[in-house]
Amino acid sequence: MKDSYLFYKNKLNNEYKTAFEQVELYVFTKNVDESTREERLSDLLDIFLSAQETGKPVEKITGTNMERFCKTFCSDLGMKNRILNILDVLKYVAWVLLVFSVLDVLAVAGEADINIWQIMSTNVSVYIIGLIPVGILTAFTNSVFCHIMFKVKRVSMCTLTVFTVIETCVAFAGLFLISNIVDGYIYNPPLWTVLLFSCLYLVVYYLLLGKRQKRPNVKLSDVTQESVLTEMEPVMMERFKKERTKQLHHGKDEMSFEQFLDREEKICRRAEKTKYFYYILPIIVTGIFYTINCIIYGFEGMLDLILFVVLTLTLQYFIMFVFLKTEKYGVRERRAWVAKKRDELKK
Amino acid sequence: MDETQLLKGILEGCILSVISEGETYGYEILARLDHCGFEGLLEGTLYPVLTRLEKKGYIICRKEKSPFGPMRKYFSITQSGENALTQFRESYKKITDATNRILEGNKSI
C-alpha cells in the first residue's frame, strides 16, 4: 500500500530533495513515534511537491535559514511524542518477555511440587531486563549522533561506520558496567512478576494506544525500487554491450536488445528457483547441529532445546540476509528492470 | 523591530480566517498567506499552528491522497472555530484601532 511519504520522495527535484532530507533528518533526531513522524513528513512532502509544481524556489517555503525552519516545524513535537516512541519500543520488549515467560511455565508444567510463586524467570528475561538500561544508553548515543549529523550535513559511509563502532563500544561498555554493578545479573525476577508485567503492559498499551493511526507497512525494497531502476540503467546497458561484443567475438550473430532481455529473464528465473534451496539450507544445518548436540551434550530441557534451535536458525538467516544485501542489484530489481524495458519497447 | 513577534500574535487568527473561506490544505493556506503579503515570514510555523487549532477544536481535518501521491490533510473550520474567529476579528479591530490612534498621535506631535 503506497501511503507512506517514502514512495514519493523521489518526485522532488534536487533543490527540494536536499531541503526535505535535512528536515527528515531533523525530525528523526526528535525521537518521536513513527506515526507522528510519518504524518508530519507526509504533510511537508505534499507542500514541497505542490510548491515545486508551481515553480517556486524552495527558499519561498523554508526561508534561508534551514535550521530555524526545522526548529519551528518541529516546535510542537515534544515530550509526549518521545514518550509514545518509548512505549512503542517497550511493546516489543513486553512481547519477548511474555513469550519466554510462557515457555518457562510450559517447561515446568507437569512437574510435581512446584510452587508457581517461587519459580524464577529464565536467563532470557534477565538479559532483556538487564539490557533495557543498555538500550537507553545506545538510544542516547544515537540521538547525540543524529544531532551531530544534522549539523555536519554530510553523511558518508566512513561516518556511519565510525558511528556504528562507537555505538557498539558504548553498548558493550554499558553491559560490562551493569554486569559489574548488578553483580553478574543477580536481578532475576520471579516468573509471575515478569508474566504479570508483560500481560498488563500489552493490555494497557493496546487499549490506550492501539487505535493510533498505524504507519503504512512499507517495504524498503518497494520504496527504493524506482530509484534503483534508474541507477541500474547504465550498469545493465554496459552489460548488454559486453554480451553483444562477446557474441560477435565468438562469431555469432549480434545480440538484439530483446534477446538480451530474454537472457536476463532466464537468469533471474534460474536464480529464483535456487533461492528456495537457500531458505531450506539453514533448517538442514540446524538439524545437523541438533543431532550432533544431542549425541555429545544433550539438552537440559525443552526450553534449552527451543532456544538452541531458534538462535541457530536466527543466526544463519541473519548471515544469509547480510550476504544478500551486499549484492547491489538483486533478482527482483533485475526482473523489474527487464519488465520496464519490455513496456518501453511495446510503446 | 522583529516582525515574527508581531506575527505570532495574529497568525492563528489569519490561518483560521483562510480556512473559514472553505475546505483547504497546507500549501493552499501558505499560498494564500503569501499572496496577502506574509511571504518569507512563515518558515515552518504553519503546521504547529494547525496542530494547535486542531487541538483546540477550531478546525477538523480529513485525509485524502493528494494528486502527487502522499496523503494530504484537508482542513475545515468548526462552529467553535467560527466563534473564535469572530472574537479574534473583534479583538484585532480593537487593538489595531488603538494602535493606529497612538501611532497617528505620535506623528502629529
Side-chain angles (χ1 to χ4, degrees), chain A residues 2-3 8 11 39-40 42-43 45-47 49-51 53-54 56 62-63 68-69 72-73 75-76 213, chain B residues 4 25-27 30-31 34 39-40 43-48 51 63 65-73:
Chain A
K2 293 191 174 183
D3 273 353
Y8 308 104
K11 287 187 176 182
E39 199 176 277
R40 190 54 65 93
S42 203
D43 292 338
L45 183 62
D46 184 47
I47 289 184
L49 286 168
S50 305
E53 187 71 9
T54 58
K56 275 193 177 159
T62 63
R68 191 164 126 182
F69 175 82
T72 343
F73 185 70
S75 58
D76 62 326
Q213 186 196 353
Chain B
T4 50
Y25 58 96
Y27 181 71
L30 269 179
D34 187 55
E39 56 182 62
E43 293 181 4
T45 50
L46 177 68
Y47 270 96
T51 312
K63 286 178 191 169
K65 226 168 155 60
S66 83
F68 303 109
M71 293 302 276
R72 178 184 280 177
K73 281 183 178 171

Side-chain angles (χ1 to χ4, degrees), chain A residues 155-214:
Chain A
V155 179
S156 62
M157 275 312 293
C158 181
T159 327
L160 287 174
T161 311
V162 167
F163 164 66
T164 309
V165 168
I166 292 171
E167 193 161 290
T168 312
C169 292
V170 164
F172 275 108
L175 260 172
F176 175 76
L177 270 169
I178 283 161
S179 63
N180 278 282
I181 291 167
V182 187
D183 191 22
Y185 292 109
I186 60 163
Y187 184 65
N188 190 359
L191 180 60
W192 68 268
T193 57
V194 177
L195 255 176
L196 187 68
F197 162 77
S198 46
C199 286
L200 263 177
Y201 185 88
L202 289 169
V203 165
V204 170
Y205 176 89
Y206 283 110
L207 273 175
L208 296 179
L209 301 173
K211 283 181 187 164
R212 273 181 311 144
Q213 186 196 353
K214 282 185 186 148

Side-chain angles (χ1 to χ4, degrees), chain B residues 68-107:
Chain B
F68 303 109
M71 293 302 276
R72 178 184 280 177
K73 281 183 178 171
Y74 289 89
F75 301 97
S76 38
I77 197 163
T78 60
Q79 188 53 54
S80 57
E82 294 279 9
N83 299 337
L85 183 59
T86 310
Q87 269 181 355
F88 168 76
R89 284 192 172 120
E90 285 167 8
S91 309
Y92 180 74
K93 190 171 182 324
K94 199 169 145 186
I95 291 167
T96 47
D97 284 348
T99 311
N100 286 337
R101 277 195 290 274
I102 289 170
L103 294 176
E104 278 160 23
N106 275 345
K107 274 186 196 169

